[in-house]
Amino acid sequence: MEYLEGMLQKEKDNFGRVCNRLLGTCFLCKGNQNTRPDYYFVLKYRKEFKEYLGVLGYRLEINEEYGVVQLTSPRGINRMNLKLYDSIVLLILRILYDEKKRQLSAVEEVIVTLGDIQDRFLSLNIRDKIIDKTTMRNALSLFRRYQIVELLDRDLGDEESRVLIYDSILMAVRVEDIKAAFEKLETYRKGKNISNEETDEDEAD
């Protein structure tokens, strides 16, 4: 591959590893100590990454203000369907991120509790019970896999358990997505009380 010419073999190996990581997680965050070296590696070789991933049908987006690298699919390749409650939890995480960020300095991490998430869920008036432990665990584990959150405590039954929200949430759920999500939730409020067995799904990159 001519665009890798000039790289040391170690860098070529690292290039392949980082590509595979991006294909698996979609995001790389400077704020995540585990992926920070990979984030800077992508910045160093952004032209090469964009060319290679472009051949595969993906688009590399780099936001240095947020400190986030995102892999998107203009052609809709490998799109993931989110279950309804996953979409709701993701929306809540985005709202809480915005609220907490306004209270913090630019360098402080955004950390919320499970209690914060449940309180906001109840405030949406979708149903009169909190999200059950299994549904919450599945949603947060999914978003952890995609570098959107980190679970700081193991016990997801404790409302004081903490969740770190990475800046990648800003690219995962953009302003226009928030508006669309609220409009969809409003249809549920007017129509019926949803349950954990609800099978509706939302598409996400």
Side-chain angles (χ1 to χ4, degrees):
M1 294 181 289
E2 61 183 23
Y3 41 82
L4 297 187
E5 290 179 3
M7 283 189 189
L8 299 174
Q9 186 58 49
K10 181 179 180 180
E11 291 178 313
K12 291 180 180 179
D13 293 341
N14 204 28
F15 184 90
R17 181 188 61 78
V18 174
C19 281
N20 281 318
R21 168 168 266 178
L22 269 171
L23 289 167
T25 67
C26 297
F27 293 100
L28 292 175
C29 301
K30 182 173 70 174
N32 184 337
Q33 293 185 358
N34 293 324
T35 62
R36 184 176 299 161
D38 293 344
Y39 168 81
Y40 282 113
F41 186 75
V42 171
L43 262 57
K44 181 179 180 180
Y45 292 107
R46 68 179 72 198
K47 180 176 180 291
E48 290 81 1
F49 275 102
K50 286 183 177 181
E51 289 183 3
Y52 177 72
L53 293 167
V55 171
L56 299 180
Y58 293 94
R59 180 173 60 227
L60 190 72
E61 297 186 23
I62 300 174
N63 190 312
E64 294 186 62
E65 179 185 356
Y66 299 158
V68 177
V69 171
Q70 180 184 18
L71 194 65
T72 61
S73 175
R75 303 177 191 171
I77 302 170
N78 292 334
R79 289 178 67 85
M80 180 182 66
N81 289 326
L82 289 180
K83 294 180 179 178
L84 178 60
Y85 271 83
D86 294 340
S87 298
I88 293 172
V89 172
L90 186 60
L91 173 63
I92 290 172
L93 290 170
R94 177 65 160 86
I95 293 169
L96 290 174
Y97 175 94
D98 286 348
E99 292 177 351
K100 296 287 185 180
K101 200 66 175 178
R102 287 195 292 268
Q103 303 168 11
L104 302 171
S105 71
V107 297
E108 288 183 275
E109 296 177 326
V110 176
I111 297 174
V112 301
T113 66
L114 292 184
D116 293 331
I117 298 173
Q118 296 286 17
D119 287 345
R120 182 47 57 101
F121 175 73
L122 291 175
S123 75
L124 293 175
N125 296 317
I126 297 172
R127 61 198 297 258
D128 56 6
K129 295 190 297 184
I130 64 174
I131 301 172
D132 69 89
K133 183 176 178 180
T134 299
T135 300
M136 181 70 79
R137 179 191 298 109
N138 291 343
L140 292 178
S141 296
L142 175 66
F143 301 140
R144 180 179 184 273
R145 171 188 167 191
Y146 285 98
Q147 298 284 304
I148 295 173
V149 303
E150 186 60 60
L151 307 180
L152 301 181
D153 299 297
R154 290 177 176 271
D155 186 2
L156 295 184
D158 183 352
E159 66 175 16
E160 295 301 320
S161 290
R162 299 162 299 155
V163 178
L164 167 64
I165 308 176
Y166 290 122
D167 294 334
S168 53
I169 190 77
L170 294 169
M171 299 176 74
V173 185
R174 307 188 188 225
V175 173
E176 57 270 24
D177 299 324
I178 296 175
K179 181 180 179 182
F182 269 115
E183 289 174 351
K184 185 167 185 179
L185 287 175
E186 188 61 27
T187 65
Y188 284 108
R189 289 197 196 96
K190 292 178 179 178
K192 61 178 181 177
N193 243 358
I194 58 175
S195 69
N196 285 329
E197 289 74 39
E198 182 67 56
T199 57
D200 288 358
E201 295 180 331
D202 295 323
E203 285 191 343
D205 284 332

